[in-house]
Every structure is written in structure tokens, then in C-alpha cells.
Amino acid sequence: MDSLLANNLTLGYGDQTIIDSLDIQIPKGKVTVLIGGNGCGKSTLLRSLARLLKPKSGQVVLDSADISKMRTKEVAKKMAILPQSPTTPEGLSVYQLVKQGRYPYQSWSKRWSQEDEDAVNKALTDTNLTDLKERSVDSLSGGQRQRAWIAMTLAQDTDLLLLDEPTTYLDMTHQIDILDLLFDLNQDNGRTVVMVLHDINLACRYADHIVAVKDKTVYAQGKPEEVINCELMQHVFEMTCDVREDPIFGTPMCIPHGKGRCLIKQAQAEAQKYPQAPLQQRQTV
Ligand SMILES: Nc1ncnc2c1ncn2[C@@H]1O[C@H](COP(=O)(O)OP(=O)(O)OP(=O)(O)O)[C@@H](O)[C@H]1O
Ligand SMILES: [Mg+2]
């Protein structure tokens, strides 16, 4: 089983520092979810863990080796990444895209094998894409395309799976299908999953470990019930909410305050209580 950690990692673009001196250890064989506001550096961190972004300083260590010194195929046999909004090569069919996931196993001496074919077919079945496998990826809907990319990541058949917002574009059924699939891969095969999710309630249901990113570093990490509370939501997302217990899973469930329809309902209730008063007056009574 492959282990992944980062030591004193500083990341950025040009002169801008996005992540500053961050230490992190990804729990082996567990599901870790990165959370944090837009632009806080989650994708930057994930890309760096997958060696798609070179650190300004510090190092990422995969299986006791500095990842920057490893050969590309060696990394790709241990770790697969689904980036945020990947670009689809024009004209490629779903089958051809998913097939790309097998590239670490191909060489001049090792041609396409039955094992490769089986891995591609399994990934297509698991993501419910078998019927669409001949379709061109750029002709698919956003959600179908997202599933095709997830299938490519799964076909790589790695111990470590890094996924940046895998549920983007997916309807509720497919969101749960994909998260359940990742959960099964973790439970049945002991795969380590690291993913970015924006839905805190789903994050709490599926994560063993949550890492909240804020102010260029880790604000808090631990089990969902240890980490998710009103104070964290206020600091990390600048949002007031109630945190209750998920009635099905028993995990933390955030209910944002916001305005929503509550204010309209309140005003309507007031209007019924004081039918004669003008609306403005009723609202202030
Ligand atoms: N290639 C790039 N060049 C310059 N700046 C970048 C680049 N990629 C990201 N950034 C900046 O780095 C910061 C962190 O971006 P990142 O994509 O890591 O955020 P994020 O937490 O994943 O956000 P989101 O939730 O919106 O996906 C942002 O301010 C972003 O504008
Ligand atoms: Mg991102």
C-alpha cells in the first residue's frame, strides 16, 4: 500500500504564494476529503501531491521516495488523478479516453493485453458508461463527460486515487453513485482516496478524514465529527449555520442560515398577525 505525505510544502504561481509551509500526511487506506472556500488552494495542493505542479519549496513523498525524483510511469502506477475541469481531446471516443488510463502499463515490450481490456471494461461498467463507449467525449453532457474522466482514472488501477471535485456536473443520483463507488473501492480494495468536495454534508458522510484549508495552510483536520462545527464553518467559509446530526448517517450536517424563503415566510406570518398595518411597519413590529 502506497503512502503519501508532504513536508514543509510551499506552492504558488509566479511571485504569489498559495500554500505556505504545509505539512500533511494522507492516511493510508482511508478516504480524505479536502474542503475550503473557492480559491484557497485545494486544487493547487492536490495537483502538487500528484506531481502536476512543482513545489516552490518542500517535498512530496510517495512511498518513502521524493516524488520529484521518480519516473513518470512509476508514479502513474501508484497514483491516478482526476484534475478539476480536464480538457477533452477533440474526437476521442469514451472507450479511447478510458483506454488512456492504461498508459503506465504499456511499453514497446508490453502490448495491449486482456488485463488492460478487462480494466477498461470494468471502469466503463462501474461508471455506467458501457452504452456510451463509442460516443465521442465532446458530444456528451457535462455529467457523462465527468464520468468518462472518472472511468479513465479508475482504469489506471492505482492504490491511490486523487480526485478534484469528482461530483461536479453530476445529478444527485450520479453523485451518490460515484461516491459509493469510491467508498467500495476503499472498503473492498483498501484504496486510498483523496478528493476535493464542496458539499460539506456529503464530505462528512464519506470521509474518514477531513482537511480544511484556509489562509495558505491546514486550518483543521481530523474525523468529520471532530472537525465540522459552527466555528469552523464561520472561519473557513465565512458562513453562519446550524450543525445538526445527519438523520441517516449520524455524521455532522450543516444547515446554512442565509436568507432563503424564511424571511418571506416570517413577513407573511407578521402580515397575518397585523393585517391592517402597512407592510414596512409590519416587518418592523
Ligand atoms: N495556473 C495558475 N496561474 C496563476 N494563478 C493560479 C493558477 N491556478 C490557480 N491560481 C490561483 O491560485 C489560487 C488557488 O487556486 P486553486 O485552483 O488551487 O483554488 P481552489 O481552492 O481549488 O478553488 P476552487 O474551489 O474554486 O476550485 C487562486 O487565487 C487562483 O486564482
Ligand atoms: Mg479547485
Side-chain angles (χ1 to χ4, degrees):
M1 181 71 59
D2 302 314
S3 67
L4 182 65
L5 56 93
N7 290 328
N8 204 20
L9 198 64
T10 296
L11 308 170
Y13 306 96
D15 294 339
Q16 205 190 1
T17 298
I18 304 295
I19 295 289
D20 196 3
S21 316
L22 177 142
D23 292 313
I24 193 170
Q25 176 145 18
I26 302 298
K28 225 191 239 193
K30 304 275 183 206
V31 175
T32 295
V33 177
L34 305 182
I35 60 166
N38 287 137
C40 73
K42 302 177 297 297
S43 298
T44 302
L45 175 59
L46 203 73
R47 278 158 28 80
S48 171
L49 289 175
R51 212 184 62 165
L52 297 181
L53 179 72
K54 203 171 163 218
K56 281 172 176 277
S57 63
Q59 56 172 191
V60 173
V61 178
L62 175 60
D63 249 357
S64 316
D66 182 341
I67 203 171
S68 67
K69 300 201 167 72
M70 291 172 70
R71 288 172 43 224
T72 302
K73 279 195 176 174
E74 203 186 336
V75 175
K77 280 181 186 167
K78 292 172 183 284
M79 174 198 291
I81 181 164
L82 169 76
Q84 188 171 13
S85 321
T87 30
T88 313
E90 217 174 303
L92 212 64
S93 72
V94 171
Y95 176 77
Q96 286 167 328
L97 177 73
V98 179
K99 213 175 153 185
Q100 309 264 317
R102 299 300 297 169
Y103 85 92
Y105 305 96
Q106 311 298 299
S107 66
W108 63 269
S109 61
K110 190 178 174 302
R111 297 269 171 82
W112 189 253
S113 67
Q114 190 58 45
E115 194 186 349
D116 295 315
E117 190 65 32
D118 290 347
V120 169
N121 286 330
K122 180 161 185 355
L124 287 167
T125 308
D126 285 349
T127 50
N128 208 4
L129 281 173
T130 309
D131 291 347
L132 297 176
K133 71 178 191 181
E134 301 306 337
R135 285 269 298 274
S136 136
V137 180
D138 45 26
S139 75
L140 300 179
S141 76
Q144 292 167 337
R145 202 174 310 157
Q146 179 76 348
R147 274 155 49 213
W149 279 100
I150 293 171
M152 190 197 87
T153 313
L154 298 181
Q156 212 171 311
D157 199 16
T158 53
D159 270 352
L160 266 157
L161 283 163
L162 275 52
L163 305 112
D164 200 343
E165 299 191 32
T167 52
T168 308
Y169 302 115
L170 303 190
D171 64 44
M172 203 181 274
T173 311
H174 283 110
Q175 285 186 39
I176 300 297
D177 280 353
I178 290 297
L179 292 173
D180 280 346
L181 172 62
L182 295 169
F183 179 78
D184 288 346
L185 288 169
N186 165 257
Q187 294 287 303
D188 303 342
N189 310 102
R191 313 264 184 112
T192 303
V193 177
V194 187
M195 58 184 157
V196 176
L197 289 178
H198 276 299
D199 187 320
I200 302 297
N201 298 340
L202 287 181
C204 289
R205 281 184 170 197
Y206 286 89
D208 296 301
H209 190 73
I210 286 196
V211 177
V213 179
K214 166 86 179 166
D215 294 337
K216 303 181 184 174
T217 191
V218 172
Y219 174 83
Q221 59 179 318
K223 292 181 184 155
E225 54 275 25
E226 294 166 357
V227 169
I228 301 299
N229 52 44
C230 297
E231 193 194 340
L232 175 131
M233 296 304 289
Q234 178 67 57
H235 277 93
V236 174
F237 295 100
E238 289 161 25
M239 188 182 76
T240 56
C241 68
D242 276 18
V243 177
R244 306 269 174 90
E245 195 178 286
D246 183 312
I248 297 174
F249 283 68
T251 44
M253 189 174 77
C254 299
I255 305 167
H257 289 175
K259 289 184 184 154
R261 290 177 181 271
C262 299
L263 286 187
I264 300 172
K265 282 205 171 134
Q266 264 171 16
Q268 282 167 348
E270 292 295 329
Q272 277 179 356
K273 257 171 42 192
Y274 306 101
Q276 303 307 323
L279 187 62
Q280 213 174 1
Q281 200 182 328
R282 282 181 231 152
Q283 284 172 340
T284 52
V285 172

